[in-house]
Amino acid sequence: MKTAMPLKLKRDELQRHLEQVAESVAAAAGVEIFEVELKGSGSARLLRVTIDKPEGVTLDDCAAVSREMEAILDAEDPIQNPY
């Protein structure tokens, strides 16, 4: 298995990249992205992705988006510290 090289992105570039990843994942899951937040710094980072859909979001929707985002971000490693 080939390991991806970590991306080295500035904070605004990282934010845009996270939004792009989230939009792609959300489209595949049949939900919409309401907000992508990256807060804090160092080991106190928090990534919050808020999703929505007209009929309401289920726990399964949240889990599907979370799992896929985790897989992509683990492979790319764009966030320098734990989040």
Side-chain angles (χ1 to χ4, degrees):
M1 182 164 128
K2 187 176 179 181
T3 303
M5 293 297 293
L7 299 174
K8 305 291 186 208
L9 302 174
K10 294 180 182 174
R11 189 164 180 101
D12 60 334
E13 294 170 329
L14 177 58
Q15 179 69 33
R16 280 193 301 274
H17 180 70
L18 294 172
E19 289 169 358
Q20 290 170 344
V21 170
E23 289 291 343
S24 174
V25 169
V31 299
E32 299 174 14
I33 294 298
F34 179 76
E35 186 173 35
V36 177
E37 295 177 278
L38 182 62
K39 294 184 170 212
S41 62
S43 63
R45 281 208 162 160
L46 169 70
L47 174 60
R48 179 180 297 138
V49 178
T50 307
I51 60 174
D52 196 11
K53 66 181 183 183
E55 60 275 13
V57 174
T58 66
L59 184 58
D60 288 337
D61 293 327
C62 295
V65 170
S66 179
R67 279 193 301 270
E68 187 62 22
M69 288 284 300
E70 179 181 21
I72 292 169
L73 296 179
D74 282 351
E76 292 180 348
D77 197 21
I79 302 173
Q80 298 299 317
N81 296 307
Y83 59 95

